[in-house]
Amino acid sequence: MARTAVRDVVIWVKHIHGGDVSQRVLGLRGGETVDLVVDGVRGAWRKMDDGRDGRPTTGIRPIGRMQDFWRELYSSRRGDVVTIELPQAEDEGASERSRLIFAPLARTQEARKSALEALLSLRGDSYRNTGVVITRDDMHDRELDREGL
């Protein structure tokens, strides 16, 4: 079991002490995710992207519901030491599912082109006005609004 201090809105590898969590995080590429159990709460963390000059960034950022949990820890228990560990073996199926959900985006020209085509294909699928005019009061059927109260 490793420990880390709540010092920032992200967790830096140099602040993780003990256990094999830091090696697991260092083995990730930018954008990949890992499930961690922090202070008894399991959630997904995303490895920060490498810098513009190519240097690796050795931090992980909470995502999803873990972001709310870590933000609460940061505001209420800043400076405290919390436990951080990899999930147990029976929980690995959930880790694989989150890896599929939060897979890093491919940053190739083909991926950008297909994403743009998918976005542009939605062009005609938006809301169409049928010409019917309805007031707010009629829409919500608010008797008190009609009376001016």
Side-chain angles (χ1 to χ4, degrees):
M1 180 181 308
R3 297 186 184 278
T4 187
V6 181
R7 295 183 178 181
D8 200 347
V9 294
V10 298
I11 295 179
W12 299 99
V13 172
K14 64 183 179 181
H15 295 158
I16 300 174
H17 303 287
D20 57 347
V21 176
S22 58
Q23 292 304 317
R24 174 77 169 103
V25 171
L26 287 174
L28 297 173
R29 292 180 304 179
E32 289 184 327
T33 62
V34 63
D35 276 1
L36 296 175
V37 180
V38 177
D39 203 34
V41 177
R42 181 180 176 158
W45 293 78
R46 181 182 175 275
K47 175 83 176 337
M48 295 169 61
D49 292 329
D50 294 340
R52 290 186 181 192
D53 58 357
R55 287 184 295 170
T57 304
T58 60
I60 53 175
R61 182 176 304 281
I63 55 177
R65 65 182 182 91
M66 182 53 80
Q67 188 174 21
D68 297 331
F69 173 73
W70 186 257
R71 189 177 297 133
E72 178 63 31
L73 269 181
Y74 182 68
S75 65
S76 64
R77 294 179 50 194
R78 189 176 310 163
D80 287 357
V81 175
V82 295
T83 60
I84 180 172
E85 57 189 331
L86 295 168
Q88 299 300 320
E90 64 269 5
D91 296 337
E92 284 303 314
S95 177
E96 182 62 28
R97 284 191 302 276
S98 70
R99 188 174 304 120
L100 294 174
I101 294 170
F102 298 110
L105 297 175
R107 294 185 177 170
T108 63
Q109 192 64 26
E110 292 175 17
R112 289 180 179 141
K113 184 177 178 182
S114 65
L116 181 62
E117 288 173 0
L119 181 66
L120 292 177
S121 71
L122 299 174
R123 188 180 318 179
D125 295 341
S126 63
Y127 170 77
R128 286 185 177 39
N129 187 355
T130 59
V132 176
V133 178
I134 186 169
T135 66
R136 181 180 62 92
D137 294 336
D138 290 337
M139 183 174 12
H140 296 288
D141 195 23
R142 296 181 178 169
E143 302 251 347
L144 294 176
D145 288 342
R146 286 192 205 117
E147 296 172 4
L149 299 175

